[in-house]
Amino acid sequence: QVQLKESGGGSVQAGGSLKLSCAASNSHYDNYCMGWFREGPGKEREGVASIDADGTATYADSVKGRFTISKHNAGKTLYLEMHNLNPDDTAMYYCAARRFSGGDWSLPRTYAYWGQGTQVTVSS
């Protein structure tokens, strides 16, 4: 079992930055594959970025070059650093965990554990 709790959301103007955090409860956190997802108004949940247990990161095309996913294993914390935000980035952001890598990292159904989300709002 992994319990996840996100923080760091807020309201920013276009071009601004935010850093999201996700605290994990499981002592074996460093063995999990972690992901960030978002769900915008009227949109389906989509994968933003993932990071495997070995630190390999993958990004959605829409955030490449602007977002960075990282994790601190000792602190059992996942991060998403977001720069040059635009209104299309407005969404509820969720962190998620799965025990094994492989397959399509961006599919929500491949993740067993989810946080409750943190809201990011970007105004123009």
Side-chain angles (χ1 to χ4, degrees), residues 37 69 81 109 116 123:
F37 288 77
I69 188 171
E81 195 164 352
R109 60 180 168 83
Q116 295 193 341
S123 58

Side-chain angles (χ1 to χ4, degrees), residues 12 21 42 57 67 76 78 87 109 114:
V12 296
S21 300
F67 291 11
K76 295 187 289 185
L78 178 73
R109 60 180 168 83
W114 292 84

Side-chain angles (χ1 to χ4, degrees), residues 63-84:
V63 306
K64 278 181 183 175
R66 301 189 298 123
F67 291 11
T68 302
I69 188 171
S70 62
K71 60 177 183 170
H72 187 259
N73 287 337
K76 295 187 289 185
T77 305
L78 178 73
Y79 301 101
L80 184 69
E81 195 164 352
M82 306 183 294
H83 298 288
N84 194 21

Side-chain angles (χ1 to χ4, degrees), residues 2 6 9 11 16 21 23 26 29-32 38 49 51 66 69-70 75 80 85 91 93 97 102-103 113-114 120:
V2 181
E6 304 92 339
S11 297
S21 300
N26 192 290
Y29 157 80
D30 54 328
N31 293 329
Y32 285 77
R38 65 186 182 187
I51 187 165
R66 301 189 298 123
I69 188 171
S70 62
L80 184 69
L85 287 160
Y93 283 71
Y113 307 103
W114 292 84
V120 172

Side-chain angles (χ1 to χ4, degrees), residues 6-108:
E6 304 92 339
S7 61
S11 297
V12 296
Q13 290 191 324
S17 300
L18 282 173
K19 185 173 183 178
L20 306 182
S21 300
C22 173
S25 63
N26 192 290
S27 60
H28 299 293
Y29 157 80
D30 54 328
N31 293 329
Y32 285 77
C33 300
M34 306 296 296
W36 283 101
F37 288 77
R38 65 186 182 187
E39 192 169 323
K43 299 180 181 179
E44 293 187 352
R45 191 169 297 191
E46 63 173 355
V48 174
S50 74
I51 187 165
D52 287 347
D54 65 0
T56 301
T58 310
Y59 297 92
D61 288 343
S62 59
V63 306
K64 278 181 183 175
R66 301 189 298 123
F67 291 11
T68 302
I69 188 171
S70 62
K71 60 177 183 170
H72 187 259
N73 287 337
K76 295 187 289 185
T77 305
L78 178 73
Y79 301 101
L80 184 69
E81 195 164 352
M82 306 183 294
H83 298 288
N84 194 21
L85 287 160
N86 62 67
D88 288 340
D89 296 316
T90 295
M92 184 72 79
Y93 283 71
Y94 300 90
C95 69
R98 59 179 184 165
R99 185 63 182 88
F100 302 103
S101 62
D104 188 342
W105 68 269
S106 67
L107 287 177

